[in-house]
Amino acid sequence: MTATATSVGEPDRTQPRPVPASRLTARLLRLLPAAAAALSGVLLYVSFPPRTLWWLALPAFAVLGWVLRGRGWKAGLGLGYLFGLGFLLPLLVWTGVEVGPGPWLALVAIEALFVALVGAGVAAVSKLPGWPVWAAALWIAGEAARARVPFDGFPWGKVAFGQADGVFLPLAALGGTPVLGFAVVLCGFGLCEAVRLAVRARRAGEVRRGAAAVALVAVAVPVVAAFAARPLVSDEAEDGTATVAVIQGNVPRAGLDFNAQRRAVLDYHARETERLAAEVRAGRVDRPDFVLWPENSSDIDPFANTDARMVIDRAAKAIGAPVSVGGVVDRDGKLLNEQILWDPVKGPVDTYDKRQIQPFGEYLPLRSLIGAINDDWTSMVSRDFSRGTEPGVFSMAGTEVGLVTCYEAAFDWAVRSEVTDGAQMISVPSNNATFDRSEMTYQQLAMSRVRAVEHSRTVTVPVTSGVSAIIMPDGRITQKTGMFVADSLVQEVPLRSSETPATRLGVLPEIALVLVAAGALGWAVGAGVRGRRARDV
C-alpha cells in the first residue's frame, strides 16, 4: 500500500479548513434571533401553571419584541412561528398522553401558525410610534382568531390563563381575558422598549422624549390599572351563602380506557357521596345544600338503564340533597354530554347539554378524510356528540348554579352566558382521567380561577380524578383534592348576583382591541407604501 505524500510547504487538503473566528461569530449571530424566539416561547410556557412564575411572561414578550422589532414581515412570520412552537409544544404535550405524538404535533403546528401571523404583524407595526401598544393589540387579535377557528377554535394558552397568581389578575374583572392578556403583553413589549432606549442612551447619550414616554406608559399603566381594579374583586356574599359539596369519586384506571369500567366510575362517585352522607349523619361534616358530581361520573345513561338510575337515586337519597350528575345520554338519536339535576325525591328534574364540544375528542371533523389516513383515530371517536343550544343554570336548593362543562371553561362566551342567565355561582364539572397526571388539570384549574375573578362568582371544579377545588370569587383556592384519589370537599360559599364590568361588556373589549390591531396594520402598510414611493422618486 502506498501513501499519498504532501509536498513540503503545500497545505494538507485532506483536512477540513478551520472557519475563521469572525465568520463563526457571524453565523452564531445570525442564529441568535431564531434561538431567542424559541427560548422566549419556552419562557412563556414556564410562566403557566402548575408553576406560579406568572411574571416570566413579561421577559418572554420583552425578548420577543427585541427579536421582531424593525424586521420585515417574512422574518417576523418565521420568528413568530418559532416562538409559537417554543410555547405550545410543551404547553399542549398532554394532548398526546394517550393517543401518541401525532395529534399533539399536528395541533401545535396549526396553532403556531396564528402566532406566526402575529409575529409578522408585530414586525410590521414595530416601526410605528408607540409600537408596544399596537403589538399587544395584535397579540390579542391573534388569540381572538385562535378561539374561533378552525373547528370553533381552541383558546387554550391564552396569556390571561397564566396569570391566576399574578398582580394583573384584577383586570379580568374590568375587561375579561382580552384586557388581562393585553395588559401583560403590553407590559412585556414596553419593557423591551424601555431597555432598548436605556441602552441607546448609554451609547449615544440621547433619547427621544416621545419614545421614552411611550415605554414608560407601556410598563406603568398596566400595573397601575391592575391595582386600580382591585376594588372590583370581592368575596363578600351578596345573596347569602350556600353549603356545597364537591365529589371526586376517582376512576378505576387512567387513560382512554378508564370508562371501559363505566359502572365502576359511577359506583365510585355514588360510594363517595354515601361516605360523605355518613360523615354528615355523624356530625363530623356540615350538611350540604346541594352536591356536584363531575363530567362523565355516569357514562351509563340513567334514563335508559335502570341499574344506573337506582345507584344515583340511592346516593341522592343518602345525602338528602339535590345532585348534579355528569352523564352520557342517548336521546332521540343524539349522543349528549349532559349534566342532570337529580332531586332526592323526584329524581331527574332538569338537564344541561354541553354546547362547546371538543373536536377530535367528542366529535370528529373531516371523518372520512381522517379515516382514510388512520382508522384507529375514527374508532376512538366512533360516534359524534351533539351540541346543546341553551345555557345551563340549575336551581339547587334555592341557589342558581351555572354549569360550564370542562372544555367550555376556555371559552369566554360559554362562561359569561351562565352569569347573564342568572347564575349566583359557577360549577365546572370536568373529566381529566384521559390525561393521566399531566399539567392539563392545573391549566384548567387556573382558567377557573380567572373566571371567578372575571365574573365575581364562586367557582367549584368537580373532577373525576383530580384536581377538584373550591375557588372564591377573588380567585383564591380554599380547598382542593389530590390526583387520582376519592375525596369530597364541603364548604359554605358566598353567592353573588352583581355583574362586573367584564360581564356587562362581554365581547366589546376584544372587538375594540382587534380594531386597534387592524388600524395599526393599516397604518404600517400605508407607511411602507409611502416610504417605497419616496425612495423611487
Side-chain angles (χ1 to χ4, degrees):
M1 184 185 335
T2 60
T4 302
T6 301
S7 303
V8 177
E10 183 180 339
D12 186 355
R13 302 186 185 279
T14 63
Q15 300 297 321
R17 284 183 280 183
V19 178
S22 58
R23 290 174 59 189
L24 180 61
T25 302
R27 288 181 183 179
L28 291 175
L29 287 174
R30 283 196 295 270
L31 292 175
L32 182 59
L39 290 175
S40 58
V42 174
L43 198 63
L44 181 60
Y45 155 71
V46 175
S47 75
F48 272 63
R51 295 156 296 276
T52 58
L53 303 173
W54 58 269
W55 52 271
L56 286 178
L58 304 184
F61 281 103
V63 174
L64 179 64
W66 169 75
V67 166
L68 295 176
R69 191 181 185 281
R71 295 187 182 275
W73 70 268
K74 292 181 181 179
L77 193 73
L79 293 169
Y81 196 74
L82 289 172
F83 181 87
L85 292 178
F87 172 44
L88 295 171
L89 273 170
L91 185 81
L92 302 179
V93 68
W94 51 267
T95 60
V97 166
E98 295 297 331
V99 295
W104 161 51
L105 294 174
L107 174 64
V108 170
I110 292 169
E111 294 298 307
L113 287 173
F114 291 91
V115 185
L117 291 172
V118 170
V122 170
V125 302
S126 68
K127 304 175 182 70
L128 301 176
W131 73 269
V133 178
W134 324 129
L138 275 164
W139 181 271
I140 300 306
E143 288 190 341
R146 282 208 303 126
R148 290 165 174 82
V149 291
F151 312 124
D152 294 316
F154 187 75
W156 219 278
K158 274 190 169 187
V159 168
F161 295 149
Q163 296 296 308
D165 292 292
V167 298
F168 298 101
L169 182 60
L171 290 171
L174 182 64
T177 59
V179 169
L180 173 54
F182 174 75
V184 174
V185 180
L186 175 61
C187 199
F189 284 145
L191 184 62
C192 168
E193 183 69 352
V195 172
R196 186 184 74 84
L197 291 174
V199 171
R200 179 176 175 177
R202 186 170 181 178
R203 289 176 177 173
E206 61 175 1
V207 173
R208 290 185 346 212
R209 291 184 180 179
V214 168
L216 179 62
V217 166
V219 173
V221 167
V223 177
V224 172
F227 281 97
R230 288 174 69 89
L232 298 174
V233 181
S234 173
D235 63 354
E236 293 182 5
E238 294 175 334
D239 304 320
T241 61
T243 300
V244 58
V246 171
I247 300 297
Q248 177 175 300
N250 203 9
V251 297
R253 56 181 174 266
L256 289 173
D257 64 345
F258 81 97
N259 55 10
Q261 299 183 39
R262 295 185 298 168
R263 177 56 188 269
V265 176
L266 173 57
D267 286 345
Y268 282 14
H269 286 82
R271 184 185 309 156
E272 182 60 26
T273 304
E274 291 166 2
R275 186 199 66 77
L276 176 61
E279 293 286 297
V280 170
R281 288 193 297 271
R284 289 188 287 270
V285 179
D286 292 338
R287 179 175 296 279
D289 296 313
F290 51 89
V291 180
L292 302 169
W293 283 15
E295 177 189 33
N296 300 142
S297 46
S298 178
D299 273 354
I300 302 175
D301 185 349
F303 296 104
N305 294 274
T306 304
D307 59 337
R309 185 185 183 104
M310 291 176 60
V311 169
I312 298 170
D313 207 49
R314 185 172 63 245
K317 283 179 166 59
I319 197 67
V323 182
S324 179
V325 178
V328 174
V329 174
D330 194 335
R331 182 182 297 117
D332 301 327
K334 295 180 178 180
L335 191 63
L336 301 166
N337 187 337
E338 191 165 82
Q339 289 292 309
I340 308 164
L341 176 53
W342 206 284
D343 185 89
V345 177
K346 301 175 182 178
V349 295
D350 200 359
T351 60
Y352 166 64
D353 299 324
K354 187 176 182 181
R355 293 169 293 166
Q356 189 73 41
I357 57 176
Q358 182 181 351
F360 305 99
E362 292 172 307
Y363 78 100
L364 197 61
L366 311 173
R367 180 177 289 273
S368 58
L369 175 62
I370 291 173
I373 298 171
N374 191 325
D375 285 338
D376 292 339
W377 292 351
T378 56
S379 64
M380 284 189 289
V381 188
S382 58
R383 186 179 173 192
D384 292 341
F385 279 81
S386 295
R387 301 173 185 273
T389 57
E390 300 294 330
V393 180
F394 286 170
S395 293
M396 304 183 75
T399 297
E400 301 298 303
V401 181
L403 283 303
V404 181
T405 305
C406 195
Y407 183 60
E408 292 183 318
F411 293 83
D412 295 348
W413 66 268
V415 185
R416 178 178 179 266
S417 66
E418 313 303 66
V419 178
T420 57
D421 206 45
Q424 297 168 300
M425 62 167 286
I426 299 168
S427 182
V428 185
S430 303
N431 174 24
N432 297 336
T434 51
F435 304 112
D436 204 359
R437 295 181 179 274
S438 69
E439 294 181 356
M440 183 271 188
T441 188
Y442 300 104
Q443 293 170 8
Q444 191 175 54
L445 187 59
M447 289 181 196
S448 296
R449 294 178 63 191
V450 173
R451 299 305 186 191
V453 173
E454 182 178 16
H455 299 292
S456 196
R457 295 292 188 272
T458 296
V459 177
T460 57
V461 186
V463 182
T464 50
S465 56
V467 175
S468 299
I470 296 176
I471 305 166
M472 290 293 98
D474 60 3
R476 287 181 299 117
I477 296 175
T478 52
Q479 290 192 63
K480 65 179 180 179
T481 69
M483 294 185 72
F484 292 98
V485 294
D487 204 353
S488 57
L489 307 173
V490 179
Q491 185 174 320
E492 184 179 14
V493 300
L495 304 177
R496 295 176 61 85
S497 57
S498 64
E499 293 186 352
T500 63
T503 307
R504 292 193 295 270
L505 291 170
V507 75
L508 291 179
E510 186 176 57
I511 291 174
L513 289 169
V514 169
L515 291 175
V516 168
L521 275 179
W523 182 12
V525 171
V529 170
R530 288 191 297 273
R532 284 193 296 272
R533 286 176 179 172
R535 287 192 297 271
D536 292 340
V537 174

